[in-house]
Amino acid sequence: MKTNLRKYRFEQDDLSQQQLADMIKVSRQTIVAIERGDYNLSVKLALLLARKLNTTVEELFQLEEKDYV
Amino acid sequence: MKTNLRKYRFEQDDLSQQQLADMIKVSRQTIVAIERGDYNLSVKLALLLARKLNTTVEELFQLEEKDYV
DNA sequence: ATTTAATGTCAAATATATTTGACATTATGT
DNA sequence: ACATAATGTCAAATATATTTGACATTAAAT
């Protein structure tokens, strides 16, 4: 799962991981894991993140080759 | 989690639950659960579904009041 | 130089998504 | 009326997301 959450976190509001985590009520480790991209979050979190960062799920997360079926 | 997966499944390609499940390599029960809306699928599945049905994650899934934080 | 905030990472525990199998009900076709 | 496909639903098992806690490292501020 490719993501540019980190880019948006900085460019949009310059939030810390902790601030972003608090905004959507998850742990900071969850944000870390998502940014590392090795991890398949729920669509609910994805929608909340996209909403907070004024963008879309598709813009924030992209499938990679290995994800296609 | 509000969804109109069912609507898209019919309107776009008139697929059966089983056909759609096969296309994205999940079980039929997963499709059933998603359509029932009581269930928070992964963003990877959401992206695959949106892709197969020629739409977006936001169009397919919407947060409800209780989901907002 | 020293404090403080931000980040990276690990492991264990817990919650929840997803699968598998099985059976009942409803719709569709012949 | 009968067969077949599609759907609804349940429970148990398994896989994986998410949390919690703890500690190390890096960046920023004073």
Side-chain angles (χ1 to χ4, degrees):
Chain A
M1 176 74 49
K2 217 171 144 303
T3 180
N4 36 40
L5 173 59
R6 195 186 188 83
K7 177 172 149 250
Y8 271 87
R9 178 164 64 83
F10 286 129
E11 288 186 1
Q12 277 281 334
D13 298 297
D14 200 28
L15 298 165
S16 71
Q17 292 176 338
Q18 188 65 65
Q19 286 175 318
L20 184 56
D22 291 344
M23 288 174 85
I24 64 171
K25 294 253 203 327
V26 295
S27 68
R28 185 173 65 84
Q29 279 80 343
T30 297
I31 301 293
V32 174
I34 294 170
E35 287 189 354
R36 281 177 51 197
D38 56 357
Y39 166 126
N40 189 16
L41 71 160
S42 71
V43 69
K44 178 178 161 189
L45 283 191
L47 285 167
L48 284 171
L49 285 170
R51 197 151 160 280
K52 289 291 182 191
L53 298 175
N54 297 310
T55 184
T56 64
V57 172
E58 274 86 357
E59 178 64 28
L60 225 39
F61 302 101
Q62 290 106 31
L63 295 171
E64 297 177 286
E65 274 309 321
K66 65 181 158 88
D67 298 320
Y68 294 136
V69 292
Chain B
M1 178 72 51
K2 216 171 144 304
T3 181
N4 37 39
L5 174 59
R6 197 186 186 83
K7 178 172 148 249
Y8 271 87
R9 179 164 65 83
F10 286 129
E11 289 185 1
Q12 276 282 335
D13 298 297
D14 199 28
L15 298 165
S16 71
Q17 293 176 338
Q18 188 66 64
Q19 286 175 318
L20 184 56
D22 291 343
M23 287 173 86
I24 63 172
K25 295 257 202 323
V26 294
S27 68
R28 186 174 63 85
Q29 281 79 344
T30 297
I31 301 293
V32 173
I34 294 171
E35 287 190 354
R36 281 177 52 194
D38 56 357
Y39 166 124
N40 189 18
L41 71 160
S42 72
V43 68
K44 178 178 161 190
L45 284 191
L47 284 166
L48 285 171
L49 285 170
R51 198 151 160 280
K52 289 291 182 190
L53 298 175
N54 297 310
T55 183
T56 64
V57 172
E58 274 85 356
E59 178 64 28
L60 226 38
F61 301 101
Q62 291 106 31
L63 295 171
E64 297 177 287
E65 273 311 321
K66 66 180 159 89
D67 298 320
Y68 294 137
V69 291

